[in-house]
Amino acid sequence: MEKETINGFVEKVVYRNAENGYTVVNISVEGDDVVCTGYFSDITEGDQIIAEGSFVEHKQYGIQFTVTSYEIKEPETSVAMEKYLGSGIIKGVGPALSAKIVKKFGDETFNIIEREPERLAEIKGITEKKAIEIGSQFEEKKEFRNAMIFLNQYGVSNALAMKIYKEYGIKVMKIVRENPYRLADDIAGVGFKTADEIALRMGFSPESSMRMKAGISFALSMAASNGHTYLLYEDLYEESKRLLGISEVEFENDIYELTIERKIVLKEVKGERRVYNNNLYYMELTVARKLLDLNAKSENNYKVMEAKVREVEAKTGIKLGDLQRKAVYEAVESGLVIITGGPGTGKTTTINAIIKLFEMQNMEILLAAPTGRAAKRMTETTGMEAQTIHRLLELNGNPEEGGSMRFERNELNPLEADVIIIDEMSMVDIYLMYSLLKAITVGTRLILVGDVNQLPSVGPGKVLKDIISSEKFNVVRLSEIFRQAAESDIITNAHKINAGQSIRLDNKSKDFFMLSMSSSIQIQRALVSLIAEKLPPYVDATKYDIQVLTPSRKGELGVENLNKILQQYINPPAPGKREKQWGEVIFRENDKVMQIKNDYQMEWKIVTKKGLTIKEGSGVFNGDCGIIREINEFAGTVTVEFDEGKLVEYTGATLEELELAYAITIHKSQGSEYPAVIIPLLNAPKPLLNRNLLYTAVTRARKCVTIVGSENSVNEMIQNESEMKRNSGLVDSIIEMEEADNVYI
């Protein structure tokens, strides 16, 4: 598209999204009315702007000018000033009052408002207080414009400039001039590379200590996003060297300064030098301390307890196995107990027995899980309401009023319960565990349930595995596969995979199939056929319920490529079906999508069929899946319906938190369960083809597993028991804390 420049006055602001600044305006250019779209929340009616962009033809709204950059010209004539002031940009000043002001002061109007605002009181109808308010608002608007111009000159887009201004306000220029690398720490969506580009454009030296320290902090942040709570000193140096070209001496000096500034912690453990982000280090210590504090034993009469368990069995009609019975006893006797086991080993039955036993004693019980889907499944299997951990901890906050998102439940406002049961613990990272434990007082029983053989959490740490590995807590490992579960090849094969045993792939099963194929093209065609035609009637589900789980994001059988292919066949373009392009992705109404990061500020609502809001809240989380219900091309919004009918509106930059979900990585499927899963396996990097990954994928299916691809790849995964190494110091922190306790006993 050919770039063009237009110069004109803003006649009307047709639409504006207050959150991201996306705006539709009518601009008068030499008498012609031009519809312009773009991200410019600072312009108002009466402004004269010079805009650069391209004319495009919108299929619904006709010819529009899409603005890529613009400049607002300060009104220079009394006519322009009157139009600007009367536009409503200054609260309490309308067209009539604007006309009086300009009539009184003429071309000097803006100088008077800026330098001598008290003189506005000379006009009938303006008090001295109102005059000062008008001057204050005028100054604030000017500061905003100056900030936008300042950021734009360093290559910052209008949408990002809006986010930065919302964070820093009128201090934005001072903060960015002093340390542009703060943007990477303070602004969601700004990484080190973006901040670095801005800093270098501003003239900061590539060798500056500020840059080096910011790069080191960024390397630690990236390590956390890959699951590590710390990096070894040598590994951090190598990563920093790659990123910054830093010398060993410079690195050592910067590490020392970051330690003094309390941004990192350098700790030697077992001959290793570990470098932690300051927050993660103290989170691990706090989690260790709280777990040990909760781990109290109570004295119980064994005969009385046994009689109560028999009563539970009689009331529920269930017969507990020996290990399940042991788990129930531990739950009664211990302040903290961990129950782990694979599919079909009776975790749900055990939880239900524990709940029934505590209910008989009139105890207050709370149930929670890391994701909405996991909580929903917990509700279905127990008959009690289960919540997400975020909801349990009462996520709250009002960013619009300068606040931040926070959990209302904490050490000052703890959860009021006798028993708290958390399911799907393998998904809980160190951040969430820290917040949860802060809200639990000593004396409350905490029961952690999960499958330790599944993949670890997406966030940093391996909390469940570390708690078990520390050998300091009461752990019950359920291992008996019950008769009904043993009839499922999904469950029996999952246990075989976990044990490193070969599985039968002869397609004589009713719920576990292997379609042998040798090329990516064949596999892609098979996926389309299975989802669109064969599997939905077989498992009594819709095509949206069938989930493709793949080991990788890249490659012909990776998430990104498969989603493009599957979208084309499962939800093709159609007349009247609206679309929205974001980067290389085209979102289409009725697309299956997934939230790919925790966004505590994202607002949702539940509405009736008539559109009345009956419930609203905030928080959409990594792994939440939904369907695009509406794309508003005019407003630039995409509305997604998630579980429980929660409607979320995505606009502008928030679309980067969304991706197509016909195919997702196995890691992203944690905590979810699907009627049928399809696993394409051919070639992938060896670290991705491991037992842990295959086991997790298989255990996501309720009714049917279909592996499409190479039997050799399946066998390689079963034999490869190596997992992606993840640095976590929780075990050492637990042991260190307990040893310190023993010193003082």
Side-chain angles (χ1 to χ4, degrees):
M1 290 182 289
E2 189 178 336
K3 289 279 184 184
E4 296 188 47
T5 301
I6 62 171
N7 185 337
F9 289 91
V10 178
E11 291 290 338
K12 185 179 181 184
V13 176
V14 180
Y15 170 83
R16 171 168 290 147
N17 185 301
E19 182 185 334
N20 64 7
Y22 178 80
T23 308
V24 180
V25 295
N26 290 339
I27 294 180
S28 176
V29 180
E30 296 179 355
D32 293 328
D33 205 24
V34 178
V35 177
C36 295
T37 63
Y39 293 90
F40 30 68
S41 62
D42 55 329
I43 71 170
T44 188
E45 292 168 11
D47 277 339
Q48 181 181 357
I49 74 167
I50 300 172
E52 187 178 87
S54 306
F55 282 101
V56 295
E57 183 164 5
H58 192 285
K59 56 189 175 184
Q60 186 175 351
Y61 300 110
I63 298 292
Q64 296 182 339
F65 189 77
T66 301
V67 177
T68 53
S69 64
Y70 69 97
E71 175 191 346
I72 299 176
K73 292 198 71 177
E74 192 81 14
E76 295 172 351
T77 66
S78 58
V79 173
M81 290 178 188
E82 182 180 331
K83 201 167 191 179
Y84 176 81
L85 288 175
S87 68
I89 193 166
I90 306 294
K91 192 175 179 182
V93 178
L97 190 54
S98 171
K100 286 182 182 180
I101 294 171
V102 174
K103 185 178 180 181
K104 171 76 175 175
F105 299 112
D107 290 349
E108 288 297 305
T109 296
F110 278 14
N111 286 333
I112 297 294
I113 295 174
E114 193 174 337
R115 296 169 188 166
E116 303 175 84
E118 66 279 0
R119 286 194 58 192
L120 294 174
E122 296 173 15
I123 297 167
K124 189 176 179 180
I126 300 180
T127 63
E128 191 169 326
K129 181 181 177 184
K130 187 171 183 178
I132 299 301
E133 282 178 3
I134 291 170
S136 177
Q137 285 187 60
F138 188 85
E139 183 63 24
E140 189 179 326
K141 299 295 180 187
K142 188 171 182 178
E143 288 287 348
F144 175 71
R145 288 187 174 189
N146 290 340
M148 296 294 283
I149 293 167
F150 168 75
L151 293 169
N152 287 159
Q153 71 180 314
Y154 297 117
V156 179
S157 69
N158 292 323
L160 180 55
M162 271 293 298
K163 289 175 77 172
I164 295 170
Y165 188 82
K166 278 189 174 182
E167 178 69 26
Y168 298 138
I170 60 174
K171 296 178 182 176
V172 62
M173 287 188 280
K174 180 177 184 295
I175 290 170
V176 175
R177 280 195 182 108
E178 288 177 356
N179 183 4
Y181 293 101
R182 271 190 62 177
L183 297 171
D185 294 328
D186 298 341
I187 313 296
V190 178
F192 171 77
K193 290 180 181 177
T194 301
D196 196 34
E197 286 174 6
I198 295 168
L200 295 176
R201 286 191 186 113
M202 291 177 71
F204 280 79
S205 167
E207 285 79 36
S208 71
S209 178
M210 185 186 294
R211 178 174 186 261
M212 297 302 175
K213 289 191 287 186
I216 292 168
S217 296
F218 172 73
L220 279 176
S221 298
M222 286 298 96
S225 69
N226 289 323
H228 304 294
T229 59
Y230 68 85
L231 280 181
L232 295 178
Y233 184 93
E234 298 77 13
D235 293 339
L236 180 57
Y237 169 61
E238 289 300 323
E239 183 57 26
S240 301
K241 183 179 172 183
R242 184 194 66 76
L243 185 69
L244 304 161
I246 194 170
S247 72
E248 197 165 350
V249 172
E250 288 172 320
F251 178 75
E252 189 175 339
N253 289 337
D254 290 329
I255 286 288
Y256 175 75
E257 286 187 27
L258 286 166
T259 305
I260 295 299
E261 293 167 9
R262 297 191 175 184
K263 291 183 177 177
I264 66 169
V265 172
L266 182 60
K267 185 173 183 178
E268 187 157 332
V269 181
K270 299 174 182 175
E272 295 179 339
R273 283 194 297 172
R274 300 175 178 178
V275 188
Y276 283 87
N277 171 285
N278 195 62
N279 288 342
L280 281 171
Y281 175 73
Y282 288 105
M283 279 183 183
E284 278 196 345
L285 283 183
T286 302
V287 167
R289 176 73 272 155
K290 296 287 284 185
L291 287 169
L292 289 166
D293 289 345
L294 289 170
N295 191 33
K297 275 280 187 182
S298 60
E299 293 294 327
N300 285 280
N301 184 308
Y302 182 80
K303 287 186 177 179
V304 172
M305 188 160 57
E306 191 175 31
K308 287 180 179 176
V309 171
R310 282 199 299 269
E311 187 179 347
V312 167
E313 288 179 315
K315 284 185 175 180
T316 59
I318 59 177
K319 179 67 177 172
L320 296 172
D322 292 341
L323 289 172
Q324 291 175 307
R325 190 177 295 269
K326 180 186 177 187
V328 175
Y329 290 166
E330 288 286 3
V332 173
E333 292 185 333
S334 307
L336 173 64
V337 63
I338 298 93
I339 302 170
T340 184
T345 56
K347 293 193 297 294
T348 298
T349 301
T350 306
I351 292 172
N352 285 334
I354 290 169
I355 290 170
K356 186 59 67 178
L357 187 64
F358 286 132
E359 279 182 334
M360 287 164 54
Q361 299 174 58
N362 295 316
M363 289 189 172
E364 183 70 26
I365 306 164
L366 294 175
L367 308 182
T371 66
R373 286 195 170 193
K376 186 178 179 182
R377 199 164 68 249
M378 198 180 187
T379 298
E380 291 167 353
T381 56
T382 63
M384 277 186 68
E385 184 193 3
Q387 310 171 71
T388 62
I389 298 174
H390 296 86
R391 188 173 157 210
L392 178 75
L393 297 177
E394 296 177 16
L395 184 71
N396 201 358
N398 193 344
E400 295 299 319
E401 295 176 5
S404 59
M405 303 309 291
R406 63 188 180 275
F407 291 120
E408 294 294 334
R409 293 291 184 173
N410 50 42
E411 60 270 46
L412 301 177
N413 181 28
L415 293 164
E416 297 169 8
D418 300 302
V419 183
I420 298 172
I421 303 175
I422 308 294
D423 199 8
E424 294 287 357
M425 265 300 299
S426 63
M427 297 182 66
V428 175
D429 62 23
I430 195 70
Y431 297 131
L432 194 53
M433 193 64 178
Y434 168 78
S435 297
L436 174 67
L437 291 177
K438 280 207 305 177
I440 300 176
T441 55
V442 174
T444 302
R445 286 180 173 84
L446 178 61
I447 300 167
L448 307 177
V449 185
D451 185 347
V452 75
N453 294 306
Q454 285 189 27
L455 290 168
S457 57
V458 175
K462 40 191 172 78
V463 173
L464 179 63
K465 188 166 285 190
D466 283 351
I467 293 173
I468 293 171
S469 298
S470 73
E471 298 182 349
K472 301 299 179 185
F473 306 102
N474 306 293
V475 179
V476 181
R477 293 178 172 84
L478 302 177
S479 55
E480 180 186 354
I481 304 175
F482 289 91
R483 184 179 59 80
Q484 189 175 356
E487 293 172 1
S488 163
D489 285 323
I490 295 174
I491 290 174
T492 54
N493 283 343
H495 284 276
K496 284 182 178 180
I497 290 166
N498 191 46
Q501 300 170 5
S502 297
I503 58 176
R504 289 175 59 187
L505 299 171
D506 56 10
N507 290 333
K508 292 182 179 178
S509 169
K510 292 181 180 179
D511 61 7
F512 203 104
F513 303 101
M514 176 80 212
L515 303 182
S516 295
M517 294 180 182
S518 57
S519 78
S520 298
I521 297 295
Q522 284 181 306
I523 294 172
Q524 290 164 4
R525 288 173 181 161
L527 297 182
V528 172
S529 174
L530 287 165
I531 296 171
E533 301 168 17
K534 295 180 180 178
L535 283 177
Y538 189 75
V539 295
D540 189 26
T542 72
K543 60 187 178 182
Y544 288 100
D545 296 321
I546 314 301
Q547 188 62 59
V548 175
L549 303 179
T550 181
S552 61
R553 290 195 60 81
K554 303 294 183 181
E556 292 183 338
L557 297 178
V559 165
E560 293 172 9
N561 190 50
L562 286 181
N563 271 322
K564 289 179 184 176
I565 294 167
L566 295 173
Q567 180 194 42
Q568 190 66 21
Y569 287 95
I570 295 168
N571 186 34
K577 190 185 289 184
R578 288 167 293 210
E579 298 178 352
K580 169 83 174 170
Q581 184 157 358
W582 181 258
E584 296 182 6
V585 179
I586 293 175
F587 293 110
R588 191 172 292 141
E589 288 178 333
N590 298 330
D591 267 338
K592 182 178 179 180
V593 292
M594 180 173 65
Q595 174 79 11
I596 59 171
K597 62 178 283 189
N598 288 337
D599 191 328
Y600 303 113
Q601 299 179 10
M602 187 78 82
E603 295 179 352
W604 55 261
K605 62 181 179 181
I606 299 174
V607 302
T608 64
K609 289 182 179 179
K610 293 184 178 180
L612 296 173
T613 300
I614 55 173
K615 194 173 183 181
E616 53 190 350
S618 61
V620 186
F621 305 106
N622 194 350
D624 287 354
C625 286
I627 304 293
I628 294 178
R629 294 303 182 200
E630 182 186 21
I631 293 176
N632 186 323
E633 294 172 304
F634 186 72
T637 59
V638 175
T639 302
V640 179
E641 181 179 350
F642 290 101
D643 281 347
E644 300 174 0
K646 292 179 179 176
L647 296 175
V648 177
E649 191 176 272
Y650 290 80
T651 57
T654 59
L655 282 170
E656 69 191 15
E657 300 177 12
L658 208 59
E659 67 178 29
L660 296 174
Y662 300 103
I664 64 174
T665 60
I666 296 168
H667 222 128
K668 288 285 190 183
S669 71
Q670 286 175 274
S672 297
E673 192 177 73
Y674 312 96
V677 301
I678 309 169
I679 310 168
L681 293 176
L682 194 56
N683 297 308
K686 192 168 183 181
L688 291 177
L689 293 179
N690 63 60
R691 182 186 302 172
N692 196 216
L693 205 71
L694 182 59
Y695 174 80
T696 300
V698 167
T699 54
R700 299 305 89 211
R702 192 163 60 244
K703 295 181 179 179
C704 181
V705 169
T706 305
I707 301 174
V708 187
S710 162
E711 289 188 30
N712 286 338
S713 293
V714 176
N715 292 326
E716 283 176 22
M717 291 182 84
I718 293 172
Q719 296 310 311
N720 180 15
E721 58 180 324
S722 66
E723 298 176 31
M724 296 287 282
K725 188 175 183 297
R726 182 174 279 217
N727 297 332
S728 168
L730 183 57
V731 172
D732 299 307
S733 294
I734 291 169
I735 292 169
E736 180 185 323
M737 286 282 184
E738 194 205 38
E739 288 174 351
D741 288 346
N742 292 336
V743 168
Y744 294 104
I745 290 176

